[in-house]
Amino acid sequence: MPKTSQRKKKLKNQDFQKQKLKVGKKKLAPSTQTDISFKTKAIYVPDQGIVEEKKEITSSRNLTLKELLGQAKHYSSITRKDALNGIKEIYTNYPDEIFLNLGTVFEKTIPIFIDKEPDVRLALLQFYKILIPDLKIDQIKPFMSVFMAYLCSAMTHILEDIRLDSLKFLKLFIDNFPTLTIYYSDKLIPNFLNHLTGDMKMNSKSNSSSLSNSLLVNPKSKLGSTKSRAAILTSFYDFLSIIINDNQNLSNNNKNEDIKENININWTKQSSIQIYSNTEHVYNKNNDNSVVLDIFNAEQKSNNSTDRIDKDSLGISETNTFLKTQNIKNSYNLNNKSQLKDFMDILLPVLFNCWIETSSDAFIGNVNFSPTLVIIKTIIQIQNLVWKKYSESEKESNEWVESYLKLIINHMMIYFPFGNEKCSIKDQKTEDYVKEINIIFCELLSTFLSLNWNDNSKLITICLNNLMKYFNIFFGKRKNEKFVMINDIKAEHLNTLFPAILKLINSLPQNDSLKIVDIISEYFMKVHSQSGAKRSLIKFINQLLNENNLFYQNPVFFEHIKKVFSSLPRLMWELKTVYLNTTETIFDILLKLFKFGINFQERIQFLENLQMTMIPYFYVEIPNKGSIFGPFIQLPCELQKKLINIIYYFPTINEKLFKAILTCCKNKFLSSETIDKILEVFELRQNLLFTTKIQPQQYLSFILTILMGYNSNELETLNKRYLDKQVIPALKVQEVLSNSKKRKIDDDEINAKNEQIANIWKRQNEINNSVVKRLKSLNGIPQNKILNLLEPFTVKVFNNSLPDHSLYGLVFIIMNFIKYKDTCSKSYVNILCQNITRLLESIWSKDNYMTTPEYKYIFNLTKYIFNNLYLEMINYLSKDIIDINKAKMAYRLLNDIILKLEPNLIRKIQSLKVMIHELKKVLTNQQEIDNLQKILRFLDY
């Protein structure tokens, strides 16, 4: 056993020893006590700026715009990308910060167009997508030259990714600033052609660049892939369209520019397309020392590569003499026909090359949506664009046009209709896209058809036959001699096809033209009334009637489209007021039908039947449902008058139509302007030779019923409610006829009712003037006989309780012919004075009579009455003051009207003194009585 050391023994014993306290020493702390004392020391950490508050605007990473722009040139691609995202963040939150430093921002970011890293270019594109659309034209115009310089550099960059991304940046400028972009077309268009045909190559002999005339089909090249080529062609089409077909593009895409006129681009010194060929250059020195490049007569460089397609494979060299002899110019003014042809000779061969390479397997087997279809569509769109431009200045066909039409027939039409039975399309998206391709191709053919061709042209015959074949497929198909409609035709598809259809109808023999008419008619009858296709067809039919007299003169054509015309009134009802432009177009069609059809005796019955179907559009009574107003009441005034113009050419006006129009005239929502038009048309019809005349009594009754605004049944209803020939306020009449219950109304409703009353009286006054104008021009009836014609009608009406505004209308009409009162009986004049008194009492007896909406109309009429019937009226009033209301009326008339007549005249009227004495008996106001006494003294003076 080992021995324990002395030291260990000593330490062991210390654990159990009790320490002794010593004098002068502190008591030791227990061994179990924890020492909680601590010491502190300060340390210094240098400020690294992580949480430093900066006075300038910063991004979420606390970097200012100046710092971010500095990082845009950093060697690290991640830093450059983050810097662009930071700039985008600042613009999103503080756009003014970017606008104030726009020049600096562009200076630092534009060079990134040619950055080698795709993520950095994508970050710049995302920033520009939100910045560029917000800029105004004067903000970006100073920088356009820099933009285009770097853009062209990107389009010609050695890296194909940069060249493809340049198209995305170019689209931003095409969409937002087209007019600024096209000024650089001389630099951009050659770059587009470079993308399609290969890189620009330097010629050591001439020290100039040259462009290959064959396609770039390198399998290893991204530019040669179908996806890239589709993007290039699409971008090229967008750019070319703002130059050639700028109207549509500017109106749809341009948000920042105020364009008032079309843009005509002259590619002269400032903007010219420099086109080069992959050939030895031949320099021809002209007088002005300019250089002309002859790319087709030059000696061809050796190029035996089998992956390129040359112009000979298209047959261009055999069919087009221009391409053999004409030199390429340095500039092309597309408004000049000759220079436009030169440009097309450069462009079209490239497009045909693209077509031949792409179309070979596009429509074989299963067809799916792919970049190949995009290429096919875009090639047709570009051709359509340039040929439309050519047809604007040239209407005659020639060998040059025929050569290209042959190419279209030989290389493009062999697949038409695209997506036919030789291939299978199962995807709806692909089917819709192929349909758009077919329609655009039809538009291209219609452009050729719009030129003047020889009658025996085989090329045109081929085009017409193929179009006819497609139309049968497009509009529907027949099964067991029945038409089966295609439901997914869009309005824009139809609008594109209509020029070709119109050309076919005018060009084909009659039997073939009738087949097209039958196809369109059957489709028209099947398609939904409120669809866009239906509205487009309506516009086309109207255009067809405007441009082709066959539908008026040839009874065969008329018979084939007659069922379309018969359906128009029903279509008008179904449209109601939803599509007013379409409704207006239908009115135009109907006006032509009646205007020209009235000259054909065999069409009279058809027009009369068409007229009958139009009645519900005005008003109709349905058993068990009551009366229903048609859409006519809700139309704008101008459209109402347009429809009324059609009535002028109706062969006859049957009773139902007469009643429907009359009922509409009594509707308070029909404007007085429309009523005046109705009266005018009916008056003019009385003078027409080919129409059936309305009897004078019936016509007069029609006019006065319009004046009254109520029929006999409504007046009978009022008589049951109001006895003793009362004069009823207009709003109370509406309550009675609508069976509405009385209730308390607030001040706002009172003001609204006052406005409503004012509108009723204003409308009545305008109708009064229209009726007077028509009565004064009644055919064959002198004016001194009008009052005799009015007498039996007015006597009958005066025996009823009447609305105040209707009674005002009758009195107004009578007073316009009162100078012929000697032709009437004394009893009629007495009845007239009685009813005038009824009317005046209803207004003049009110406490606040001068503030009522109807007062201004009644006041003017009252002055006219006492200027012409003063003696009769004063005699009647002197015998009729039997209550306080009539006394109030007579007193106010005395002060406001009668005393303002000629003094010598009123002093001779003895009945006036009698009236004043009767007033003194009834009135209770002492001031009024004293005033009457003064008037008596004045009369006795």
Side-chain angles (χ1 to χ4, degrees):
M1 186 171 180
K3 295 181 179 180
T4 305
S5 65
Q6 291 297 323
R7 182 175 174 275
K8 289 184 178 180
K9 287 182 179 181
K10 186 177 181 180
L11 291 174
K12 185 177 180 181
N13 293 332
Q14 286 180 356
D15 293 338
F16 301 98
Q17 288 181 358
K18 183 177 180 182
Q19 294 184 357
K20 295 180 180 180
L21 300 176
K22 295 182 179 180
V23 179
K25 299 291 184 179
K26 290 183 179 180
K27 184 179 179 180
L28 296 176
S31 60
T32 57
Q33 181 175 342
T34 302
D35 186 8
I36 60 173
S37 61
F38 61 90
K39 297 179 179 180
T40 60
K41 288 186 178 181
I43 62 173
Y44 173 73
V45 179
D47 187 7
Q48 298 181 6
I50 297 177
V51 294
E52 179 186 4
E53 291 187 5
K54 299 179 180 179
K55 296 182 180 180
E56 300 180 28
I57 294 172
T58 62
S59 66
S60 59
R61 295 171 56 231
N62 202 35
L63 295 175
T64 63
L65 178 61
K66 182 178 180 180
E67 292 169 339
L68 291 170
L69 291 173
Q71 293 181 3
K73 291 185 177 181
H74 199 273
Y75 65 87
S76 171
S77 62
I78 297 176
T79 304
R80 295 198 301 273
K81 183 185 75 171
D82 291 341
L84 290 171
N85 290 333
I87 297 172
K88 176 185 173 184
E89 180 187 343
I90 289 179
Y91 177 70
T92 303
N93 298 325
Y94 311 100
D96 291 341
E97 180 71 10
I98 300 296
F99 292 146
L100 291 174
N101 299 277
L102 198 59
T104 308
V105 171
F106 283 153
E107 180 186 355
K108 300 295 184 180
T109 58
I110 291 176
I112 301 178
F113 280 179
I114 54 177
D115 194 289
K116 294 181 179 181
E117 295 299 327
D119 291 343
V120 179
R121 296 195 302 273
L122 178 60
L124 178 64
L125 180 64
Q126 292 173 344
F127 169 51
Y128 277 3
K129 278 184 177 180
I130 64 172
L131 173 64
I132 297 297
D134 294 342
L135 297 178
K136 296 180 181 179
I137 189 170
D138 55 349
Q139 289 178 301
I140 199 170
K141 190 173 183 179
F143 309 101
M144 280 301 294
S145 59
V146 183
F147 272 115
M148 291 300 119
Y150 275 94
L151 194 57
C152 290
S153 178
M155 294 179 74
T156 57
H157 201 275
I158 191 172
L159 297 180
E160 293 183 340
D161 287 342
I162 296 179
R163 296 171 71 175
L164 290 174
D165 284 349
S166 66
L167 301 178
K168 300 175 183 177
F169 289 101
L170 178 60
K171 181 173 175 57
L172 280 176
F173 295 99
I174 291 175
D175 290 344
N176 295 281
F177 300 100
T179 54
L180 293 181
T181 308
I182 58 179
Y183 292 139
Y184 302 89
S185 56
D186 59 320
K187 299 176 178 60
L188 294 173
I189 288 184
N191 292 334
F192 278 115
L193 297 180
N194 280 344
H195 283 185
L196 294 172
T197 57
D199 295 337
M200 293 289 287
K201 299 179 180 180
M202 294 302 297
N203 188 311
S204 58
K205 294 183 180 180
S206 62
N207 197 28
S208 61
S209 57
S210 62
L211 177 65
S212 172
N213 194 40
S214 57
L215 290 182
L216 174 65
V217 285
N218 185 357
K220 297 181 180 180
S221 171
K222 291 185 178 180
L223 289 174
S225 66
T226 55
K227 183 177 180 181
S228 299
R229 185 165 293 167
I232 295 167
L233 284 170
T234 302
S235 183
F236 181 52
Y237 170 71
D238 292 339
F239 182 66
L240 200 59
S241 63
I242 66 173
I243 299 173
I244 296 179
N245 192 22
D246 50 7
N247 271 343
Q248 180 180 356
N249 288 275
L250 290 178
S251 61
N252 293 337
N253 300 330
N254 185 22
K255 298 170 290 186
N256 298 298
E257 299 172 74
D258 184 14
I259 304 299
K260 297 182 179 180
E261 299 179 354
N262 296 346
I263 302 172
N264 296 321
I265 303 304
N266 293 326
W267 287 336
T268 53
K269 294 181 180 179
Q270 289 76 18
S271 57
S272 59
I273 305 178
Q274 308 294 336
I275 305 294
Y276 305 98
S277 174
N278 187 18
T279 60
E280 297 289 343
H281 293 119
V282 178
Y283 290 90
N284 299 322
K285 297 292 182 179
N286 297 331
N287 294 332
D288 57 354
N289 295 325
S290 62
V291 179
V292 177
L293 303 180
D294 189 348
I295 69 172
F296 294 108
N297 287 334
E299 180 183 354
Q300 184 72 28
K301 289 185 71 174
S302 60
N303 187 0
N304 300 323
S305 177
T306 58
D307 62 348
R308 291 185 180 271
I309 302 172
D310 59 26
K311 64 182 184 301
D312 293 332
S313 64
L314 292 172
I316 295 290
S317 57
E318 289 83 8
T319 59
N320 199 327
T321 56
F322 168 81
L323 297 179
K324 294 180 179 180
T325 59
Q326 185 67 24
N327 294 332
I328 299 299
K329 300 176 182 178
N330 290 334
S331 63
Y332 295 89
N333 177 4
L334 297 190
N335 291 318
N336 181 282
K337 181 178 68 175
S338 176
Q339 295 189 37
L340 175 62
K341 289 173 61 177
D342 295 349
F343 171 67
M344 291 170 67
D345 280 319
I346 298 298
L347 174 64
L348 294 179
V350 177
L351 296 180
F352 278 113
N353 273 316
C354 289
W355 178 275
I356 291 175
E357 179 192 335
T358 308
S359 62
S360 57
D361 58 349
F363 300 106
I364 299 176
N366 293 329
V367 178
N368 298 313
F369 183 80
S370 63
T372 302
L373 291 182
V374 177
I375 294 174
I376 294 292
K377 178 183 177 181
T378 311
I379 290 173
I380 300 175
Q381 285 179 316
I382 295 174
Q383 289 219 38
N384 192 21
L385 198 63
V386 294
W387 282 112
K388 274 188 175 180
K389 182 67 178 177
Y390 176 79
S391 65
E392 291 176 3
S393 57
E394 179 60 59
K395 299 301 181 183
E396 299 294 331
S397 62
N398 50 51
E399 292 183 3
W400 182 82
V401 176
E402 289 181 3
S403 65
Y404 280 110
L405 184 55
K406 285 179 183 178
L407 291 175
I408 290 174
I409 293 173
N410 294 334
H411 296 286
M412 302 174 73
M413 197 175 288
I414 57 176
Y415 302 104
F416 181 74
F418 305 107
N420 52 29
E421 62 276 1
K422 295 180 181 180
C423 59
S424 175
I425 302 176
K426 298 181 180 180
D427 181 16
Q428 185 62 42
K429 178 182 178 182
T430 305
E431 187 173 346
D432 292 341
Y433 200 81
V434 171
K435 181 182 291 184
E436 291 181 10
I437 295 175
N438 281 311
I439 291 170
I440 297 170
F441 188 72
C442 290
E443 188 178 9
L444 174 61
L445 294 182
S446 67
T447 303
F448 283 98
L449 293 174
S450 65
L451 303 177
N452 297 324
W453 296 82
N454 296 328
D455 295 336
N456 299 324
S457 175
K458 293 182 180 180
L459 298 178
I460 294 302
T461 303
I462 295 173
C463 294
L464 292 174
N465 290 337
N466 278 273
L467 284 173
M468 185 69 184
K469 176 183 176 182
Y470 179 68
F471 291 152
N472 280 284
I473 300 173
F474 178 80
F475 284 105
K477 53 186 177 180
R478 294 182 179 275
K479 290 184 178 180
N480 300 325
E481 297 301 322
K482 291 185 179 180
F483 183 79
V484 180
M485 186 182 68
I486 304 298
N487 294 316
D488 57 347
I489 299 178
K490 298 179 181 179
E492 53 266 28
H493 295 165
L494 290 171
N495 294 333
T496 304
L497 281 179
F498 284 151
I501 296 174
L502 190 62
K503 183 66 178 179
L504 281 173
I505 292 175
N506 294 330
S507 304
L508 290 174
Q510 179 172 309
N511 291 336
D512 293 331
S513 296
L514 289 175
K515 290 179 183 179
I516 298 177
V517 173
D518 289 339
I519 291 172
I520 296 174
S521 298
E522 289 185 85
Y523 181 75
F524 181 89
M525 300 303 295
K526 296 289 184 180
V527 73
H528 191 272
S529 60
Q530 295 192 3
S531 65
K534 191 84 162 189
R535 300 196 298 274
S536 294
L537 285 167
I538 289 293
K539 292 180 182 177
F540 173 69
I541 292 172
N542 188 40
Q543 182 183 0
L544 199 62
L545 295 178
N546 287 336
E547 298 184 10
N548 199 322
N549 293 329
L550 287 174
F551 295 96
Y552 301 127
Q553 300 173 0
N554 191 322
V556 178
F557 273 88
F558 186 83
E559 287 297 322
H560 279 257
I561 203 171
K562 186 165 66 173
K563 60 183 178 181
V564 172
F565 297 147
S566 300
S567 68
L568 293 180
R570 180 181 179 86
L571 178 59
M572 288 159 48
W573 174 274
E574 292 174 347
L575 290 175
K576 299 188 184 301
T577 57
V578 180
Y579 301 105
L580 294 179
N581 289 336
T582 304
T583 300
E584 184 176 9
T585 306
I586 295 175
F587 291 170
D588 290 336
I589 295 172
L590 291 174
L591 181 62
K592 297 182 185 76
L593 287 178
F594 282 96
K595 183 177 180 179
F596 295 98
I598 201 72
N599 299 320
F600 298 88
Q601 190 62 35
E602 64 275 10
R603 299 183 191 174
I604 297 298
Q605 185 60 46
F606 168 77
L607 296 178
E608 290 180 349
N609 294 335
L610 190 63
Q611 170 187 326
M612 288 294 295
T613 58
M614 292 176 63
I615 294 175
Y617 195 74
F618 295 94
Y619 170 85
V620 65
E621 292 182 355
I622 302 176
N624 302 325
K625 289 188 178 180
S627 58
I628 298 176
F629 282 98
F632 172 77
I633 290 293
Q634 301 175 351
L635 291 177
C637 181
E638 291 304 316
L639 281 185
Q640 289 176 340
K641 293 193 290 185
K642 200 160 194 175
L643 180 57
I644 297 302
N645 283 333
I646 302 174
I647 298 176
Y648 176 79
Y649 295 100
F650 281 3
T652 59
I653 301 290
N654 59 56
E655 185 177 350
K656 288 185 178 180
L657 179 62
F658 200 81
K659 181 180 179 181
I661 295 174
L662 186 58
T663 307
C664 287
C665 291
K666 292 185 292 183
N667 190 302
K668 65 178 182 179
F669 295 107
L670 192 68
S671 68
S672 58
E673 190 176 349
T674 302
I675 292 176
D676 182 66
K677 186 66 177 181
I678 292 172
L679 293 172
E680 177 188 359
V681 167
F682 274 83
E683 177 190 354
L684 294 173
R685 279 183 57 84
Q686 294 296 93
N687 301 324
L688 289 180
L689 298 177
F690 57 81
T691 59
T692 304
K693 307 294 187 294
I694 304 174
Q695 296 299 322
Q697 289 294 336
Q698 185 183 11
Y699 180 60
L700 183 63
S701 175
F702 170 73
I703 293 177
L704 295 178
T705 304
I706 291 176
L707 175 74
M708 290 290 297
Y710 301 94
N711 57 30
S712 57
N713 293 332
E714 291 170 333
L715 291 179
E716 186 177 349
T717 302
L718 294 176
N719 284 329
K720 291 178 181 179
R721 180 73 176 269
Y722 298 95
L723 304 177
D724 301 330
K725 302 180 182 179
Q726 295 186 35
V727 179
I728 314 163
L731 294 185
K732 286 188 176 181
V733 173
Q734 295 179 9
E735 291 178 2
V736 172
L737 296 180
S738 61
N739 295 322
S740 59
K741 296 181 180 179
K742 292 183 177 181
R743 60 182 179 84
K744 293 182 179 180
I745 58 176
D746 55 22
D747 293 341
D748 291 338
E749 284 187 278
I750 291 174
N751 294 332
K753 287 182 178 295
N754 286 336
E755 184 177 355
Q756 191 176 353
I757 292 171
N759 291 334
I760 291 174
W761 279 79
K762 179 183 177 183
R763 178 177 180 271
Q764 183 66 55
N765 188 63
E766 291 170 349
I767 294 174
N768 292 346
N769 292 320
S770 297
V771 170
V772 168
K773 184 166 60 174
R774 304 307 161 200
L775 288 175
K776 288 182 177 180
S777 59
L778 279 177
N779 187 27
I781 302 177
Q783 291 191 24
N784 58 357
K785 299 294 183 181
I786 297 295
L787 205 56
N788 296 105
L789 293 174
L790 292 175
E791 182 176 345
F793 179 86
T794 53
V795 168
K796 183 179 178 181
V797 174
F798 282 152
N799 289 325
N800 296 280
S801 294
L802 297 173
D804 53 4
H805 63 94
S806 298
L807 183 56
Y808 162 71
L810 277 177
V811 174
F812 184 94
I813 298 303
I814 293 171
M815 293 310 299
N816 275 273
F817 300 95
I818 199 63
K819 61 183 178 181
Y820 306 111
K821 61 185 178 182
D822 294 338
T823 62
C824 300
S825 61
K826 292 183 179 180
S827 60
Y828 179 67
V829 174
N830 189 58
I831 294 173
L832 180 59
C833 292
Q834 178 186 357
N835 285 276
I836 290 174
T837 304
R838 288 170 60 193
L839 174 64
L840 298 182
E841 181 184 354
S842 67
I843 308 299
W844 286 88
S845 62
K846 294 180 180 179
D847 292 337
N848 58 341
Y849 71 101
M850 297 185 69
T851 60
T852 58
E854 58 270 28
Y855 173 73
K856 65 178 181 179
Y857 302 105
I858 289 295
F859 180 77
N860 292 330
L861 179 62
T862 304
K863 289 197 299 183
Y864 192 83
I865 290 171
F866 278 90
N867 283 333
N868 293 274
L869 281 178
Y870 63 92
L871 183 59
E872 291 84 351
M873 283 298 301
I874 293 174
N875 287 338
Y876 182 82
L877 289 173
S878 65
K879 302 174 184 178
D880 196 47
I881 302 175
I882 55 177
D883 55 35
I884 188 62
N885 284 334
K886 290 186 177 179
K888 286 182 180 180
M889 171 199 66
Y891 176 79
R892 291 165 180 171
L893 288 175
L894 179 64
N895 283 281
D896 296 348
I897 304 295
I898 298 175
L899 291 178
K900 292 182 181 180
L901 297 174
E902 187 179 349
N904 293 331
L905 183 65
I906 59 177
R907 285 192 178 101
K908 296 178 181 178
I909 305 174
Q910 294 298 322
S911 57
L912 180 58
K913 296 180 181 179
V914 176
M915 185 185 78
I916 294 173
H917 286 294
E918 292 296 324
L919 285 175
K920 290 173 64 177
K921 295 177 183 179
V922 179
L923 293 176
T924 57
N925 188 307
Q926 187 59 44
Q927 184 178 356
E928 293 176 348
I929 295 173
D930 294 342
N931 189 35
L932 290 174
Q933 191 63 36
K934 293 179 182 178
I935 295 173
L936 283 174
R937 288 197 294 269
F938 167 75
L939 294 175
D940 292 335
Y941 178 75

